[in-house]
């Protein structure tokens, strides 16, 4: 199968690219190479005859039309997005341009190409989204595929909008689509502005480890390579027009998560005192959702998928990767906004 993967030089997208190539798929990686992209993420497959890189921006419909015409993909995996909530608070327009209009452009280009090829029944447009579109949970309950949308940040609102566009193109134009909404991802190649790499790299530098509010916010953590496996499974076997929630079944509060990372670092790279001594509580960000939790019953029962690692196992793998790959993360610390407090509003 020939896959067109958007955002394939990003964190989740690159995991999809690496796994898809390893399974024998032809992969066209379309990425604009904005601030969070890194071609080193796909260096392990860059020389494969199954891999092609195209630098293009999903905000440019003409470029997308040319890519579809040149490569004629059998399926699209649309991951390209602005994804950092704090950045969306400071600059929401970029999130609307990329996540909303960029998805519109992808749908239009895919539809045009699909119709020109006689509307093949085997074509799929897989839209990858987030659990943040469902809003915030209290102490109990989980998000299901039927949970009403209730986005609370410019980021989640833009992703909710893109989800609605995908469903509209399926209903109005018959475009064959599947959708997935995932919980928080972590793992190798995670750009160093997100919580887990911030914790690891702050600790290694002996700097304060910032935690918003009291660290009570709860997330369901999904190892990125497990996510990539689930995404390919949904693409190949998911029911047309159906959505699937993908979760790690690993809920942890932010404080518990940071304490676990510090304990792993204490074991793997001991310092004179525990890294947990560096924890510092900072002013919460505006509109910070209290809790996300995914009910993965549908993907488990229909497709037989479950995560392969616990959060403790995945975090140790992740910490080891960062300890072994300073040459990857060190240059990224100089990119715009990295290391700064964003999202104060």
């Amino acid at each position: 199968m020939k896959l067109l993967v958007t955002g394939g030089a990003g964190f989740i997208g690159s995991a999809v690219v690496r796994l898809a190539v390893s399974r024998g798929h032809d992969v066209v990686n379309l990425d604009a190479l904005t601030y969070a992209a890194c071609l080193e993420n796909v260096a392990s497959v860059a020389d494969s005859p199954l891999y092609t890189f195209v630098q293009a921006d999903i905000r440019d419909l003409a470029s997308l039309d040319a890519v579809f015409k040149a490569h004629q993909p059998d399926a699209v995996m649309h991951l390209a997005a602005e994804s950092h909530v704090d950045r969306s608070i400071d600059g929401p327009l970029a999130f609307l341009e990329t996540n909303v209009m960029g998805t519109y452009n992808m749908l239009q280009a895919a539809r045009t190409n699909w119709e020109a090829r006689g509307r093949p029944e085997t074509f799929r447009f897989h839209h990858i989204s987030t659990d943040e579109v469902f809003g915030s949970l209290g102490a109990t309950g989980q998000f299901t595929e039927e949970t009403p949308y209730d986005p609370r940040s410019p980021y989640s609102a833009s992703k909710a909008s893109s989800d609605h566009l995908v469903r509209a193109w399926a209903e109005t134009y018959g475009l064959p689509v599947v959708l997935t909404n995932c919980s928080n991802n972590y793992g190798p190649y995670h750009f160093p502005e997100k919580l887990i790499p911030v914790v690891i790299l702050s600790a290694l530098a002996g700097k304060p480890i910032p935690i918003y509010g009291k660290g009570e916010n709860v997330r369901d953590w999904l190892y990125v390579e497990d996510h990539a496996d689930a995404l390919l499974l949904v693409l190949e076997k998911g029911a047309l027009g159906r959505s699937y929630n993908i979760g790690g079944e690993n809920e942890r509060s932010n404080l518990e998560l940071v304490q676990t990372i510090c304990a792993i670092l204490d074991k793997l790279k001991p310092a004179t005192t525990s890294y947990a001594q560096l924890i510092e509580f900072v002013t919460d960000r505006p509109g910070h959702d209290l809790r996300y939790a995914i009910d993965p019953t549908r993907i488990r029962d229909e497709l037989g998928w479950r995560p392969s690692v616990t959060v403790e196992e995945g975090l140790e793998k992740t910490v080891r990767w960062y300890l072994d790959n300073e040459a990857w993360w060190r240059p990224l610390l100089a990119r715009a906004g990295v290391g700064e407090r964003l999202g104060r509003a």
Side-chain angles (χ1 to χ4, degrees):
M1 186 188 309
K2 178 178 278 191
L3 308 180
L4 174 60
V5 179
T6 70
F11 172 46
I12 302 173
S14 64
V16 170
V17 168
R18 295 190 302 270
L19 184 60
V21 170
S22 75
R23 292 183 176 176
H25 296 295
D26 286 298
V27 176
V28 179
N29 176 5
L30 185 156
D31 201 293
L33 297 183
T34 54
Y35 81 95
C38 187
L39 284 175
E40 286 81 358
N41 296 4
V42 291
S44 62
V45 300
D47 294 329
S48 170
L50 298 175
Y51 175 80
T52 303
F53 174 70
V54 177
Q55 185 170 355
D57 195 322
I58 63 171
R59 296 173 296 181
D60 183 348
L61 180 56
S63 293
L64 297 181
D65 283 333
V67 171
F68 273 90
K69 185 174 182 180
H71 295 282
Q72 302 287 303
D74 302 308
V76 173
M77 300 185 75
H78 178 41
L79 296 107
E82 294 284 350
S83 66
H84 191 36
V85 175
D86 287 358
R87 286 182 185 261
S88 82
I89 294 169
D90 291 344
L93 179 59
F95 288 72
L96 302 181
E97 292 172 339
T98 298
N99 299 353
V100 181
M101 290 307 300
T103 299
Y104 160 79
N105 289 336
M106 283 297 302
L107 289 164
Q108 284 293 85
R111 173 191 164 210
T112 298
N113 183 261
W114 176 62
E115 291 177 343
R117 293 163 63 187
R119 300 166 68 99
E121 293 182 1
T122 54
F123 181 79
R124 292 291 182 273
F125 186 105
H126 181 179
H127 177 63
I128 290 86
S129 190
T130 171
D131 60 357
E132 296 189 40
V133 300
F134 300 122
S136 183
L137 290 167
T140 61
Q142 293 180 309
F143 298 133
T144 72
E145 289 80 1
E146 282 72 43
T147 299
Y149 277 33
D150 186 23
R152 307 292 187 89
S153 71
Y155 163 63
S156 58
S158 70
K159 290 299 290 185
S161 299
S162 68
D163 291 8
H164 293 322
L165 287 175
V166 172
R167 289 189 173 93
W169 259 243
E171 292 293 331
T172 304
Y173 305 110
L175 189 69
V177 308
V178 289
L179 300 92
T180 51
N181 296 82
C182 69
S183 57
N184 282 41
N185 278 225
Y186 70 101
Y189 301 102
H190 205 175
F191 191 72
E193 68 179 358
K194 299 295 183 77
L195 175 61
I196 288 176
V198 164
V199 172
I200 296 170
L201 300 183
S202 295
L204 292 177
K207 296 179 179 178
I209 298 171
I211 299 181
Y212 287 161
K214 298 179 181 179
E216 296 172 332
N217 303 79
V218 174
R219 301 293 182 260
D220 174 16
W221 291 95
L222 174 63
Y223 191 61
V224 69
E225 293 175 5
D226 279 345
H227 188 199
D229 176 61
L231 292 177
L232 288 171
L233 180 64
V234 170
L235 179 73
E236 295 167 12
K237 297 184 178 180
L240 191 65
R242 203 128 167 93
S243 66
Y244 295 87
N245 282 356
I246 306 172
E249 300 182 65
N250 283 304
E251 284 188 59
R252 297 291 185 279
S253 73
N254 285 348
L255 180 57
E256 290 172 327
L257 185 83
V258 173
Q259 289 172 333
T260 300
I261 295 170
C262 289
I264 293 169
L265 282 167
D266 287 341
K267 179 177 71 172
L268 299 181
K269 195 176 178 62
T272 54
T273 60
S274 172
Y275 291 99
Q277 298 298 315
L278 296 170
I279 291 173
E280 179 180 272
F281 296 100
V282 299
T283 304
D284 209 350
R285 73 181 176 207
H288 196 179
D289 293 336
L290 176 63
R291 177 172 167 262
Y292 306 144
I294 275 184
D295 178 351
T297 299
R298 178 177 290 180
I299 191 170
R300 182 178 64 238
D301 291 354
E302 293 187 12
L303 305 182
W305 183 87
R306 296 198 78 154
S308 70
V309 297
T310 66
V311 70
E312 287 78 15
E313 292 167 338
L315 285 174
E316 180 156 341
K317 292 172 71 173
T318 301
V319 171
R320 287 185 184 277
W321 188 89
Y322 277 88
L323 290 174
D324 293 340
N325 288 276
E326 183 175 352
W328 176 84
W329 55 259
R330 179 68 65 183
L332 301 182
L333 299 180
R335 294 195 180 182
V338 178
E340 300 177 16
R341 174 68 197 271
L342 305 173
R344 294 177 183 270

